[in-house]
Amino acid sequence: MSAAATAAGRLVILDTGFEDGARFMAAWRGLAPQQSLFYLAVTAQVPPASSIADAQLRALWPLDLPGFHRIVLDDGRVTLDLLVGDIGQVLPEIEARVDRIYLRGALAPTLARPLARLAKPEAELLAEVSDEAPDEALKLALRKQGFVEQTDSTAYRALYQSRKPRLPVPPMPALRQAIVIGAGIAGASACHRLCAAGWQVTLIERHGAPGQEASGNVAGIFMPLLSKDDNIPTRLTRAAFLFGLREWQRLGGVGKAFEGASCGVLQLARDAEHAQVQQDVVATWNYPPQYVRWLDAQAAGALLGGPTPHGGWLFGQGGWARPASLCAALLAACGTRLAQRFHQEALRLQPQGEHWQVFDASGALLAEAPTVILANGAGAVDIAQAAQLPLARLRGQVTHLAQELGPRLSLAVCREAYVTPPNQGVICAGATYSSDDEKQLRASCQQENLARLAEIIPGSAVAALAASAPLAGRVGFRCAAPDRLPLVGPLPDYGSSGRIERLRDVPVHAGLYSLLGYASRGIIWSTLMAELLVSQLEQRPMPLEATLADALVPGRFMLKQRRRASPQDAEA
Ligand SMILES: Cc1cc2nc3c(=O)[nH]c(=O)nc-3n(C[C@H](O)[C@H](O)[C@H](O)COP(=O)(O)OP(=O)(O)OC[C@H]3O[C@@H](n4cnc5c(N)ncnc54)[C@H](O)[C@@H]3O)c2cc1C
């Protein structure tokens, strides 16, 4: 093992195959007591769960879907990333610094360069005796990239000894101390991942308990998006949904560790044309039926308990959750590394040496730390450093129906609106969208919710509710970016001037980060986005493809603005 791996206590291995996972298991078993393992395995497909011998791993085994699948094992000590796809396309998407690379099978010489990009100085490149040894063309290409073959080995072994510049490695934080502002699902998930990584965290929340604002709904649904072209939001929601499911399982399970149920979500087609699109998408991408199935009108109607015109997608692992109970479970799992400060409002941030100081409205110092994470949703723009982020505050109203009045559903159903099975006697139907600030329930919004509900749920009983149901529900404010994707990473410094060409050149506030913009999908975003941010802070391998992580960088809007403003671009 290289000196770098031993020093950091972290071993990062890239394997160009996975097969039955025997090599991964051997690396896991071979870990020294204080060591952690990140094992990145590239595989064209997810091997069947039946080929996985280890019970812990098999229980968390992903469905055969494209993308990066992160599986956290052994209480966080071991992380397996199954990177599914063609190796030529996967390697450039990896953001990691690796200590060891296993070569398996016949690999094209063109892979030498992307492999060198990932290698730490002195990283080992190995083909074990059982592997097909690299052919001469690959060996030559590897040599050209700076891998120096070692003669002391019976199998192929080389060390990365290039002086070529590699991607810059930012310094590790000197102190693992952070302040998280906001105890919604974004902040609670951040606390959970940070504490698991050994950080001391102070959580500051203006209410007396977690999950009182957008995350205060009785039930919200979780499901991924699908599209014809498997676009970036589709890939991101798939990764977030699947990682969330695995992490909730580790937390104790939906409906056990927190309120909710993986009861399935039926997304009804809007019309005949949309039904055809839904059918085509499932056929084109050949999704495993556990992920999504197309149901025709008859099968969908059988689930709904009455006729429905067009059928829909059934996400069998989707469901609903009460976000505040998820917040509580996550915070409870943080242990003694977390200090929770309720009834405190963080309104001013000021750099002081290597630290950020956090003050309330009266100027009282609430806390200080080198790292501050804004996870305060619609409240973020009240803080000067975040005021120029293009975040909209979108009002939403959910209607609460008494269980005996609403539809009897065993799964969540959505179309333009959604309806959940009852939680503690309450059925949630929603939700509206508007840009106003009204905190009180509005009768017109309730009518809107019930009218939509009547459109998606068969039978006249629901339509009759519109007239008789008492005004009941909840108002919340979503925090949404123009592209409806989260903002995860360092906060851009809008006070800086000058032209910017690339995302990585956007000036940032050192030590200030955001987990914002969860819009209407906070339940699935929360887990993966916290993992992504902590991976950045800890310089761990990223849990997502670089293209997907780039789509979340908070500086993307500033980059667009500055490119647009640059005179040269205007001429072009
Ligand atoms: C009506 C409605 C229906 C929705 N339905 C769904 C759904 O079905 N599925 C789904 O996935 N998502 C749904 N969402 C979206 C989801 O609720 C949000 O994406 C999610 O709750 C956002 O979590 P958050 O932690 O970012 O924000 P929040 O939950 O708003 O948390 C921010 C926290 O920061 C605190 N805070 C703010 N400013 C400060 C400050 N200066 N100092 C200290 N504390 C501060 C707030 O008090 C709050 O607790 C819905 C949202 C609404 C409004």
Side-chain angles (χ1 to χ4, degrees):
M1 179 195 317
S2 74
T6 324
R10 179 192 297 163
L11 175 61
V12 183
I13 296 178
L14 172 68
D15 192 337
T16 61
F18 189 75
E19 293 168 8
D20 62 357
R23 193 165 292 164
F24 161 66
M25 293 306 298
W28 181 357
R29 276 194 296 269
L31 282 184
Q34 298 303 319
Q35 223 180 7
S36 63
L37 173 66
F38 283 83
Y39 199 97
L40 287 61
V42 184
T43 173
Q45 285 170 332
V46 177
S50 56
S51 66
I52 304 304
D54 181 76
Q56 188 186 159
L57 182 55
R58 202 171 47 244
L60 296 168
W61 198 243
L63 296 172
D64 187 13
L65 287 159
F68 287 13
H69 300 271
R70 172 157 290 188
I71 308 164
V72 183
L73 298 152
D74 202 358
D75 247 347
R77 189 166 163 243
V78 173
T79 302
L80 170 64
D81 287 339
L82 279 182
L83 315 177
V84 183
D86 172 76
I87 188 162
Q89 283 163 12
V90 167
L91 288 181
E93 292 287 347
I94 300 175
E95 280 301 322
R97 291 275 152 268
V98 306
D99 301 293
R100 187 187 301 161
I101 301 171
Y102 286 117
L103 299 176
R104 309 193 200 211
L107 297 173
T110 47
L111 297 179
R113 199 184 164 89
L115 285 172
R117 183 183 71 91
L118 299 170
K120 273 187 189 165
E122 297 298 308
E124 276 181 311
L125 188 67
L126 294 171
E128 293 192 344
V129 182
S130 55
D131 297 316
E132 196 175 325
D135 63 16
E136 287 309 316
L138 178 59
K139 280 185 189 166
L140 179 66
L142 289 166
R143 254 178 252 133
K144 279 192 186 155
Q145 292 299 325
F147 288 99
V148 178
E149 276 168 51
Q150 308 294 295
T151 48
D152 57 343
S153 169
T154 48
Y156 175 82
R157 178 168 180 267
L159 293 182
Y160 186 61
Q161 292 178 334
S162 170
R163 289 183 195 281
K164 281 188 189 170
R166 289 169 296 272
L167 289 181
V169 180
M172 289 284 278
L175 274 179
R176 286 188 162 92
Q177 287 177 1
I179 298 165
V180 174
I181 302 176
I185 40 179
S189 304
C191 292
H192 182 245
R193 300 314 295 151
L194 284 167
C195 290
W199 287 58
Q200 295 291 333
V201 182
T202 303
L203 172 65
I204 297 179
E205 166 56 51
R206 60 186 170 193
H207 295 288
Q212 300 294 298
E213 297 212 357
S215 305
N217 288 337
V218 171
I221 61 172
F222 56 85
M223 59 187 280
L225 283 170
L226 298 183
S227 61
K228 279 187 192 170
D229 56 352
D230 201 35
N231 56 27
I232 285 182
T234 300
R235 292 164 63 197
L236 274 167
T237 57
R238 177 166 67 232
F241 172 72
L242 296 171
F243 183 69
L245 292 181
R246 273 193 296 279
E247 285 299 285
W248 296 340
Q249 197 176 330
R250 283 207 314 129
L251 196 64
V254 185
K256 294 183 187 126
F258 57 94
E259 289 169 52
S262 292
C263 52
V265 178
L266 178 63
Q267 182 180 350
L268 294 168
R270 289 186 296 276
D271 49 35
E273 200 183 325
H274 189 222
Q276 189 56 52
V277 171
Q278 286 194 334
Q279 220 170 330
D280 292 348
V281 167
V282 172
T284 305
W285 297 101
N286 196 20
Y287 292 118
Q290 302 95 313
Y291 185 63
V292 64
R293 278 198 293 149
W294 156 257
L295 299 187
D296 62 17
Q298 202 182 358
L303 278 181
L304 280 176
T308 186
H310 307 295
W313 282 321
L314 175 64
F315 297 96
Q317 298 178 327
W320 65 270
R322 183 175 199 141
S325 72
L326 176 56
C327 295
L330 291 164
L331 296 176
C334 288
T336 54
R337 292 205 177 99
L338 176 68
Q340 304 184 52
R341 308 260 196 87
F342 291 107
H343 299 297
Q344 294 193 344
E345 192 169 26
L347 285 177
R348 193 162 61 81
L349 304 182
Q350 194 175 295
Q352 178 71 34
E354 301 283 290
H355 282 223
W356 283 94
Q357 294 185 320
V358 178
F359 299 92
D360 69 7
S362 72
L365 177 66
L366 299 178
E368 58 182 310
T371 301
V372 174
I373 297 166
L374 299 188
N376 53 339
V381 290
D382 297 336
I383 292 176
Q385 287 85 352
Q388 290 188 60
L389 292 172
L391 292 171
R393 189 177 140 89
L394 294 180
R395 180 186 185 276
Q397 181 171 325
V398 190
T399 295
H400 293 170
L401 294 170
Q403 181 169 351
E404 46 295 350
L405 286 180
R408 286 169 203 281
L409 293 169
S410 57
L411 79 176
V413 181
C414 65
R415 207 175 76 181
E416 287 83 6
Y418 66 78
V419 56
T420 62
N423 180 26
Q424 298 182 2
V426 173
I427 291 170
C428 294
T432 60
Y433 282 83
S434 60
S435 304
D436 61 286
D437 256 353
E438 176 61 68
K439 292 194 175 91
Q440 302 305 314
L441 291 172
R442 265 203 299 251
S444 60
C445 292
Q446 171 140 329
Q447 293 305 316
E448 190 182 324
N449 284 335
L450 292 175
R452 290 227 195 96
L453 180 62
E455 279 167 26
I456 61 177
I457 300 296
S460 56
V462 173
L465 274 174
S468 63
L471 183 60
R474 193 174 179 279
V475 173
F477 294 89
R478 310 169 183 92
C479 165
D483 57 11
R484 296 291 182 269
L485 293 179
L487 279 69
V488 182
L491 264 193
D493 180 358
Y494 278 88
S496 65
S497 57
R499 186 193 167 101
I500 313 165
E501 289 293 345
R502 294 171 309 180
L503 205 48
R504 77 172 87 129
D505 296 334
V506 173
V508 297
H509 292 286
L512 258 194
Y513 298 86
S514 76
L515 284 172
L516 296 168
Y518 287 10
S520 304
R521 300 187 177 272
I523 298 176
I524 61 163
W525 289 139
S526 55
T527 317
L528 183 61
M529 297 306 120
E531 177 72 10
L532 177 62
L533 183 62
V534 173
S535 301
Q536 292 171 5
L537 291 171
E538 283 277 304
Q539 289 158 37
R540 295 172 170 180
M542 292 301 131
L544 274 175
E545 293 94 318
T547 308
L548 300 187
D550 279 357
L552 305 169
V553 172
R556 64 191 186 270
F557 305 106
M558 185 166 149
L559 175 67
K560 249 190 213 163
Q561 198 186 53
R562 293 284 169 91
R563 270 186 181 156
R564 234 184 286 137
S566 97
Q568 223 162 311
D569 273 81
E571 279 165 26

